[in-house]
Structure formats: structure tokens, C-alpha cells
Amino acid sequence: MVVQAKPGTEWIHDRWQAASNMHGKQIPGEHWIQLEFKENTGVVADKIVLDWETAYADEYVLEASLESISDNINLASSDSDTWVLFDGRKKKDVATMRSVTESGKSPGLDEPRPLHVVHEIQLLSGGFTTNNNKATKHKPFRFLRLHILKSVTGWGVSLWQFDVYGFRADELITSR
């Protein structure tokens, strides 16, 4: 589940997961979640927060577009209308844009592991990605895709929350 009225009340159902069972058996391959923002002018994001369960990913790409991102799993390329906001495979993006915090204790495991692994991606911190020599800083989008490439733990991945902070693109235009 990606959107729900009151998250946090039921451990099993309060998360999205790419696992074939409740023991975290990984589903082979890459996975993605795409969000659609209904604003016709698009949104501009300052920050994206991914609240993972102990089954999390470090290798993922945040892709944006004004049009729905196709169902194929190909990453944004220079000839597409999709651009990369963050690439977890790039050391510069990880070092300048992503901070990680851990909290809680995951139940039912022999070894202690955190219940939450929170990745905070600062998009306007100066470490923005360029695509085809066009800066993507302040570029509005209607669709945002979290493209998960690889799990850290070898289990499937579980995501508690996927938060996007920013503003409508028309607010950016009128405030300048």
C-alpha cells in the first residue's frame, strides 16, 4: 500500500513490499513505484523521504517526468522525456544528497536490525543531476518513479512511507 488514510496501525499491511511472502523472500528483478501528482502544472520537489523497513535498498533511482513513465524498466535516458533526480549508484549523489537514519527494532529477527531505515534525499542542496546538459533543479514533474535496482539485505524490499516535499510549479512561477 502506498497511500492510506492512517498509516502505522497495522505492521503487516502498512507497507509496500516487493517480496513473495511475509518472510521477505525476494522477487527477482527490479521493481518500481510510480506516483502521479494531479496538479496540471506539475510539482517541484525540495526533498524526498523514503522510510524503508529493515529490508531496504541503497541502489535505486528517482525518475521524474511530465508524462506517465512507461511500464518498461529502462532507466531514464538522454532521448526520453524522463529525467533522473537522484541516482543511488552514483557516489556524488549519495554523498551530497542522501542522509540515512535508523530507528526501532524489527520484530521476529534473531539479529538486531532497525525497524525503519529512512533515506532523506535533498534535491535542492546543490547535488542535483543533469541530463543532456539540462539542469533538473526546479524542473516541474507530474510523475515520480522510485526505481529499485537491488536490495541491500538480499530479501525483498519493504517501504513504509514515500514522502515528497515541495510545491506546485505555478507557485514557483508566481513567486519569482
Side-chain angles (χ1 to χ4, degrees), residues 32-144:
W32 56 266
I33 298 172
Q34 179 171 269
L35 303 181
E36 178 182 359
F37 299 90
K38 296 290 185 178
E39 298 297 326
N40 289 333
T41 60
V43 297
V44 177
D46 297 312
K47 174 174 73 172
I48 295 172
V49 177
L50 302 171
D51 183 355
W52 302 93
E53 190 186 6
T54 194
Y56 69 100
D58 272 343
E59 288 188 32
Y60 56 85
V61 178
L62 290 166
E63 301 168 296
S65 179
L66 289 171
E67 302 297 326
S68 180
I69 301 170
S70 81
D71 288 347
N72 69 22
I73 299 292
N74 296 328
L75 293 172
S77 63
S78 60
D79 62 342
S80 77
D81 292 329
T82 303
W83 59 93
V84 174
L85 296 175
F86 172 82
D87 190 335
R89 299 166 301 174
K90 292 185 177 179
K91 289 181 182 179
K92 182 179 179 187
D93 279 9
V94 171
T96 61
M97 298 172 70
R98 180 169 69 195
S99 63
V100 179
T101 57
E102 297 179 353
S103 65
K105 182 181 182 301
S106 192
L109 298 175
D110 293 334
E111 61 183 84
R113 290 189 175 262
L115 183 59
H116 295 272
V117 179
V118 179
H119 291 186
E120 185 173 303
I121 313 297
Q122 294 290 340
L123 296 174
L124 302 182
S125 63
F128 61 91
T129 305
T130 60
N131 184 17
N132 218 10
N133 294 323
K134 288 196 241 177
T136 59
K137 190 176 186 179
H138 288 120
K139 189 171 180 180
F141 56 85
R142 284 196 55 228
F143 296 87
L144 176 63

